[in-house]
Amino acid sequence: MQKPLLEVQGRLESVAEGVEKLLAEAEGARGGATHRVGALEHHCQLLERLAGEVARLHYNTSRGQELPFVQALRPRVEAADAQLGSLLAEGLTASLHMQVPSARRHCLAAFAAAGNTASAEQVVRQVLVGPAVQEALQKAAASRPPGAAAGSEGLAAVLPPVLEAVLDRCKTILQATLAPRSGLSAFNVLGNSILAEMDEAVADALPSVYSPGVPATFHANFQAAMALLDALEAQCPTAAALHALRTCPAHASFMRRWKLSVYFSLRFQEIAGELEAALSAPSLNAVPAESSKSNILALQLLPSFQLQLCLSRAISQDVFLRPLSDRVVRLSLQLVARFTSWLQAGLEARAAAAQEDATQHSTTAGRPMQHHHPAEGPASSAPQAEAAERGGPHQWALEASVDHLARLRADVDEVAEWVQVDFAQSLVKLLALTPRQVQEAVERAVGDGAQALEEQGAPLSAALVAHLSVRCCDSLRQLKAIPTTYRMTSKPMPFRPSPYAGALLKPLHAFLDAPSSQTLRKSARSSVAQEVVGQVAAKFGSMAGELLEQLQKTETSLKRLKKARAPEAAPEAGAAGAQMSDIDKMARQLFLDVQELGRQAERVGVDPRTNPPYQALWKAVAPADQANISL
């Protein structure tokens, strides 16, 4: 055991002595090597050999670190390391200044053999990169207008010339270290020399460019910074070189300077605040005429236009930043969800208010029924004031006119389709660098949000129908005048409909002719017309049924009374069949009025034969021989 250890110790001593002799030789030649090309080449070649010997010494000593003679040798090894590092730094500096490629190659190979690439990268940074960066920054400062603050020109004007100067200065060493199979791939000149120096120098000279206080300026500067990284990455010929650049400390330091969370917070407040301001308005305002260029969907009302505008802005080139893509996706979904919830809450409040009004009207005795038509003339000022008191954030919905509801329905259809198709595709394109499953998940989430918004079209149509139905049914109040017209009078059997019947669907007809209705899709217009006709027919049937029932009761009572007063009187032969009773005349009048309602329905595009409520109404009032609808 003792003999092998003595042999190992001897070999280590021999290697250490050889290293020290080579170090002494290199020390002796260092003075002249910095002046003559030939001497420099020889000196750097010697340093490469010396680095190989030092590496061999390190390898041998690392295998027996616990041995006493190895521990005793450690100070000599460390001294050799330090001396070699100093000689290599001098040699590489001289080869870079004198532009001697062969000497530079020997030095780089020596640094790589010694496992000290960081020192070589630091020399390149000091000798080549630093001066080039400072010269370019000084030129940029000289071209700045008098009185302009440092950095006011933006990084887009500063970084390209700086990078161009640096790449030009470092062209040969980059070619040497990045060339495949060069043996110098351990060096990361792009990251540890160029990016590190540019990052530090720009931060010292132009600290204001990193401030997110002005989002637009921050965005432009960040995009210029990302263009710098893209340009550096374009220099990488291999995936390994690209990975080394992206994972180096300088890259991390460069990215930490950008307060992206602060920038996004400011953008969030700006974009979401614009939508919230539009949704908080007490009424539905029209899109300003000056916004026609940005109104790509030809939307009509400000809230829906603002939603489209905010979504477009969130993914626009002057707002979107790739590292914030996940937050932009969440913001987009939140904007759609906020608009949907605003719309849903408003429509629910309107429906509840209408139900409350209907309940109050039905339970109020001794007062003529009055209907509230929001935002339609001076007569509605009192109900509007009442709506303002109870409306709160839903005041817009309580005061919305039929015109507003139609335009809002048309807007919702347009925005929902745009979100589901165009916006979703644009958003996914911005996520081109993310995994496909992430893109598909985003597309599904946006589609779900668009569908939830689209589903609000049905409640909007219901509000339209309810509004129009109430106005149409106003004319049905004149139905109560039919008994007055025919009871105990000598009026003949009617042969034409009542005047009110021709006006039953007049509000619906006016709505369908209005410009706001023309913006609705054909299916929505048809659905509204069908529903309004159905509700009017149902109301007509309810009132007609009550009227006929009351008339029948009255007729029965009168007959009993007559019979009790004159039991001995007998009806004249054939009199009952020859004379029509008052109730027959009233029933005939109702039937004529129902026929007129059917004709009015056809004029607004509704086939009464396929409308179930109208069919039920017809069967309730039609004579037995006219059970099938025939107008």
Side-chain angles (χ1 to χ4, degrees), residues 115-186:
N116 191 13
T117 57
S119 295
E121 291 161 352
Q122 185 63 25
V123 170
V124 173
R125 178 178 174 179
Q126 292 174 348
V127 175
L128 298 182
V129 183
V133 170
Q134 292 303 321
E135 290 172 11
L137 287 176
Q138 288 170 6
K139 287 182 181 179
S143 63
R144 193 178 300 139
S152 58
E153 66 273 41
L155 289 184
V158 174
L159 291 183
V162 173
L163 180 62
E164 182 181 2
V166 170
L167 292 179
D168 182 67
R169 191 75 61 89
C170 299
K171 180 170 59 177
T172 56
I173 196 167
L174 284 174
Q175 291 174 347
T177 55
L178 292 174
R181 296 183 296 276
S182 65
L184 301 177
S185 59

Side-chain angles (χ1 to χ4, degrees), residues 30-161:
R30 71 190 300 181
T34 58
H35 298 90
R36 299 189 305 276
V37 173
L40 179 61
E41 289 178 336
H42 176 74
H43 179 65
C44 292
Q45 191 173 9
L46 176 62
L47 291 179
E48 183 179 3
R49 177 187 168 193
L50 178 57
E53 290 299 314
V54 171
R56 188 158 70 95
L57 180 61
H58 270 290
Y59 175 75
N60 289 326
T61 55
S62 66
R63 302 177 63 187
Q65 296 181 11
E66 74 283 354
L67 298 174
F69 63 85
V70 173
Q71 295 176 0
L73 195 63
R74 185 171 296 137
R76 295 169 63 185
V77 175
E78 292 175 352
D81 274 340
Q83 192 173 0
L84 175 62
S86 176
L87 289 169
L88 285 175
E90 277 188 13
L92 181 58
T93 300
S95 67
L96 293 175
H97 279 305
M98 297 171 65
Q99 300 182 12
V100 184
S102 58
R104 183 195 63 220
R105 186 173 59 254
H106 287 306
C107 282
L108 291 176
F111 270 114
N116 191 13
T117 57
S119 295
E121 291 161 352
Q122 185 63 25
V123 170
V124 173
R125 178 178 174 179
Q126 292 174 348
V127 175
L128 298 182
V129 183
V133 170
Q134 292 303 321
E135 290 172 11
L137 287 176
Q138 288 170 6
K139 287 182 181 179
S143 63
R144 193 178 300 139
S152 58
E153 66 273 41
L155 289 184
V158 174
L159 291 183

Side-chain angles (χ1 to χ4, degrees), residues 255-333:
M255 293 303 298
R256 279 197 300 269
R257 295 189 188 278
W258 302 96
K259 307 302 181 185
L260 293 174
S261 60
V262 178
Y263 166 79
F264 180 78
S265 177
L266 294 174
R267 286 298 197 191
F268 182 93
Q269 295 173 18
E270 170 191 330
I271 295 173
E274 290 174 354
L275 178 61
E276 198 62 39
L279 300 184
S280 300
S283 58
L284 294 173
N285 299 316
V287 177
E290 58 269 20
S291 302
S292 57
K293 289 185 178 180
S294 56
N295 192 1
I296 59 175
L297 302 180
L299 301 173
Q300 303 171 78
L301 296 178
L302 194 56
S304 43
F305 168 66
Q306 196 63 57
L307 173 64
Q308 177 262 313
L309 205 63
C310 289
L311 287 171
S312 298
R313 189 148 164 66
I315 61 172
S316 64
Q317 292 183 353
D318 59 345
V319 171
F320 182 84
L321 292 177
R322 194 167 56 199
L324 296 172
S325 56
D326 58 330
R327 300 191 187 187
V328 171
V329 169
R330 286 198 298 272
L331 171 60
S332 302
L333 296 176

